Amino acid sequence: MFDNLSDRLEAIGKRLRGKGRLTEENIQETLREVRMALLEADVALPVVKEFIAAVRERALGAEVTRSLSPGQAFVKIVHDQLVQVMGEQNDALDLSTRPPAVVMLAGLQGSGKTTSTAKLGRMLRERENKKVLAVSVDVYRPAAIDQLQRLTEEVGIDFHPTDSDADPVATVEAARDQARTGYYDVLLVDTAGRLHVDDEMMSEVRRVHDAVEPVETLFVVDSMTGQDAANTARAFDEALPLTGVILTKADGDARGGAALSIRQITGKPIKFLGIGEKTDALEPFHPDRMASRILGMGDVLSLVEEVERKVDRDQAERMAGKLKKGKGFDLEDMRSQLQQVTQMGGMGGLMDKLPGMGQMSEQVSQQMNDGQIRRQIAIINSMTPGERQRPDVINGSRKRRIANGCGLQVQDVNRLLKQHKQMQKMMKQFKKGGMKKMMRQMGGGGGFPPGGMPPGGGLPPGLGGR
Ligand code: GDP
Ligand code: MG
């Protein structure tokens, strides 16, 4: 699911990261692409429109934080909007009522109601230790009743037999009575579904609903339904007081639009995803995880959050102020940047989180492993404050003293001083040309401000700031 949408958004994000900053113009262009991607994923048009409007507003607003490049910031905005559209957090079943808690599943034929009934039963029994009874009110299709009976046996929950001559309401009431007298925690009600929404079916599920007043009334929908899912969801939502949605067949190659449309259109949370035909293939739906998956950004978002959290903002500001006053980037500044890298889990941790940097990270960590960062810090620690502020005074004998002090070689000191020179040069550029220029210099990617990540802070040239 979402493969295509994911590819499209990932491509957009990559291209944006190559840009220095967000302008009205590239926002417009990018939004057009996002819009196309959503429509191709079968997201309902009104949902797409609202989505784009919200992203535009946030992108043009003040949400681009200092710690993020505009490309990263845009990706984060799209991510957050996806999360919002899909419902913020996971909503679990709410079974807090006097038992038996009745859970009813409704939806079109073939959407996966019977399968989901069994999956839910299994989950409730295994994970929550509930005593579960299931009943089918699909009185017209004996095969459907047999199917549920077989599945309940498989998952180890009890089954209330259905008399196919009886009225669905009488059936569900009899099941509810059995659940009461048998001290069941939960009664699962599997209903009949037609191929299309029709009045007769709707009034029947409505009657079943009113007879047993479920605490949870779940709309089961096949994620392959695409644009139609929105209409079906609306029809069911009008006929029944839905409390949530089960989105089935999320394991298939459906384009995924339903996941984005349904919450927005019905206002009802997607509670579960069906991810296979087996009875254990049901998982709680987490909007944030789904959004990250859609964006296919590796762990880039957690990286972004980490940077936001851990970068010392005050320090970034002090640094910016210092640069403005025309003071150079000295070895004290370099040391604090190196320290920040170690705080963020070292280069290895940092590189692992960047998409596409998987293989690179091994190479990098060989050249620039955490031990090396610590050695660099040790070298700087071994200097006098005067040397840190004015590295030019460091002559041959001072180098020997510094190397001795930290138990390293003079050539290590030389390498560090050379790296410092490179960083200093970048910082000057920052002063002259501002952020934009520096980011271009860094290969456009970066977005780590001075005081944040070292721009190529000891990284091999060419990897700097990616
Ligand atoms: P109902 O008519 O709504 O009761 O639908 P069923 O539960 O009988 O399911 C219809 C078909 O969809 C069956 O072949 C199920 O095995 C299949 N199915 C249901 N849920 C899923 C799912 O999450 N993934 C996959 N791949 N198949 C599913
Ligand atoms: Mg069925």
Side-chain angles (χ1 to χ4, degrees):
M1 205 171 63
F2 283 130
D3 288 350
N4 190 47
L5 178 63
S6 181
D7 288 350
R8 297 280 303 258
L9 290 179
E10 196 170 357
I12 295 168
K14 270 209 191 96
R15 201 150 358 102
L16 256 189
R17 265 177 288 150
K19 296 220 160 62
R21 63 193 204 94
L22 289 180
T23 61
E24 285 251 18
E25 204 178 315
N26 61 33
I27 288 178
Q28 293 298 359
E29 183 192 316
T30 305
L31 286 174
R32 252 198 309 278
E33 290 175 60
V34 175
R35 182 186 151 91
M36 282 309 298
L38 291 171
L39 286 173
E40 277 176 24
D42 257 342
V43 181
L45 185 61
V47 176
V48 174
K49 279 185 174 158
E50 238 176 272
F51 188 93
I52 295 297
V55 171
R56 173 183 289 126
E57 193 175 316
R58 295 170 75 167
L60 292 174
E63 289 203 25
V64 180
T65 62
R66 259 172 317 177
S67 313
L68 301 177
S69 77
Q72 288 169 327
F74 188 84
V75 168
K76 185 163 161 48
I77 290 170
V78 171
H79 173 269
D80 291 352
Q81 192 59 33
L82 284 172
V83 174
Q84 190 170 331
V85 164
M86 291 189 287
E88 305 284 355
Q89 88 278 328
N90 170 252
D91 280 291
L93 284 184
D94 180 6
L95 300 179
S96 51
T97 182
R98 203 156 59 95
V102 179
V103 177
M104 175 172 160
L105 289 83
L108 294 182
Q109 188 177 321
S111 61
K113 292 179 298 300
T114 304
T115 313
S116 299
T117 303
K119 289 175 177 178
L120 270 183
R122 176 169 176 169
M123 184 180 265
L124 290 168
R125 184 182 70 80
E126 284 181 357
R127 299 203 197 153
E128 298 182 33
N129 226 356
K130 302 274 194 211
K131 188 177 178 194
V132 183
L133 181 68
V135 63
S136 169
V137 293
D138 200 346
V139 291
Y140 317 98
R141 296 195 309 142
I145 299 169
D146 291 347
Q147 182 196 3
L148 182 66
Q149 178 163 20
R150 247 182 303 110
L151 286 169
T152 55
E153 280 161 16
E154 186 191 319
V155 301
I157 62 173
D158 291 333
F159 173 75
H160 178 89
T162 305
D163 175 0
S164 53
D165 296 331
D167 178 74
V169 170
T171 303
V172 80
E173 283 174 342
R176 197 239 343 254
D177 292 344
Q178 185 193 341
R180 274 185 187 155
T181 51
Y183 300 105
Y184 284 88
D185 299 305
V186 182
L187 171 65
L188 298 174
V189 181
D190 179 18
T191 62
R194 304 275 160 86
L195 289 171
H196 301 280
V197 174
D198 71 49
D199 292 343
E200 207 184 323
M201 174 182 76
M202 286 302 184
S203 72
E204 184 182 301
V205 285
R206 175 92 226 188
R207 284 195 305 129
V208 169
H209 177 276
D210 292 351
V212 289
E213 294 186 331
V215 272
E216 288 277 3
T217 304
L218 303 172
F219 172 57
V220 180
V221 60
D222 178 342
S223 44
M224 303 284 279
T225 345
Q227 287 285 339
D228 240 17
N231 299 329
T232 321
R234 198 180 287 119
F236 274 89
D237 191 39
E238 278 163 12
L240 290 169
L242 301 178
T243 57
V245 176
I246 298 179
L247 189 62
T248 61
K249 307 182 196 179
D251 51 313
D253 57 3
R255 288 175 283 183
L260 291 174
S261 307
I262 282 176
R263 164 79 199 210
Q264 189 87 344
I265 284 175
T266 62
K268 302 295 157 42
I270 297 173
K271 296 195 169 184
F272 296 99
L273 280 185
I275 50 164
E277 298 192 35
K278 299 253 163 64
T279 52
D280 62 353
L282 184 74
E283 63 179 33
F285 179 75
H286 289 279
D288 49 345
R289 287 181 213 165
M290 185 55 89
S292 301
R293 222 174 87 194
I294 293 173
L295 284 168
M297 299 303 292
D299 272 340
V300 79
L301 290 149
S302 45
L303 172 69
V304 162
E305 272 152 30
E306 216 164 301
V307 171
E308 281 188 319
R309 201 169 52 239
K310 290 196 179 160
V311 162
D312 179 348
R313 276 156 200 276
D314 291 349
Q315 195 193 330
E317 245 152 50
R318 246 183 288 127
M319 173 84 72
K322 201 168 154 193
L323 287 169
K324 268 201 207 97
K325 278 193 221 120
K327 284 211 183 148
F329 173 85
D330 63 23
L331 285 159
E332 308 251 9
D333 301 324
M334 182 173 176
R335 180 173 57 182
S336 58
Q337 294 215 341
L338 292 170
Q339 276 160 350
Q340 278 185 6
V341 174
T342 58
Q343 270 168 32
M344 287 192 286
M347 282 321 292
L350 214 52
M351 301 307 276
D352 279 347
K353 295 207 175 70
L354 294 171
M357 296 299 270
Q359 321 98 310
M360 199 84 97
S361 82
E362 204 174 314
Q363 197 186 338
V364 170
S365 49
Q366 272 167 13
Q367 295 179 50
M368 188 60 206
N369 56 37
D370 299 336
Q372 221 161 334
I373 294 179
R374 248 170 256 126
R375 275 199 290 284
Q376 291 180 320
I377 295 173
I379 296 172
I380 301 177
N381 284 342
S382 174
M383 298 172 180
T384 66
E387 287 166 346
R388 286 183 208 131
Q389 281 150 23
R390 277 168 288 109
D392 290 344
V393 304
I394 303 178
N395 56 20
S397 68
R398 284 179 189 254
K399 280 179 192 167
R400 272 193 299 282
R401 195 210 77 238
I402 293 166
N404 277 336
C406 57
L408 292 167
Q409 309 293 318
V410 169
Q411 70 205 56
D412 296 317
V413 179
N414 281 333
R415 199 175 311 127
L416 174 102
L417 290 172
K418 199 166 140 207
Q419 274 168 350
H420 170 251
K421 275 249 156 29
Q422 284 172 354
M423 290 171 78
Q424 204 173 30
K425 212 162 100 199
M426 294 197 102
M427 290 304 174
K428 281 212 185 88
Q429 233 125 30
F430 166 71
K431 204 182 106 202
K432 261 190 264 154
M435 208 58 176
K436 231 193 313 180
K437 188 159 173 194
M438 189 173 79
M439 286 213 275
R440 258 206 311 274
Q441 168 103 11
M442 285 159 59
F448 297 105
M453 271 287 298
L459 282 179
L463 287 177
R466 280 288 303 276

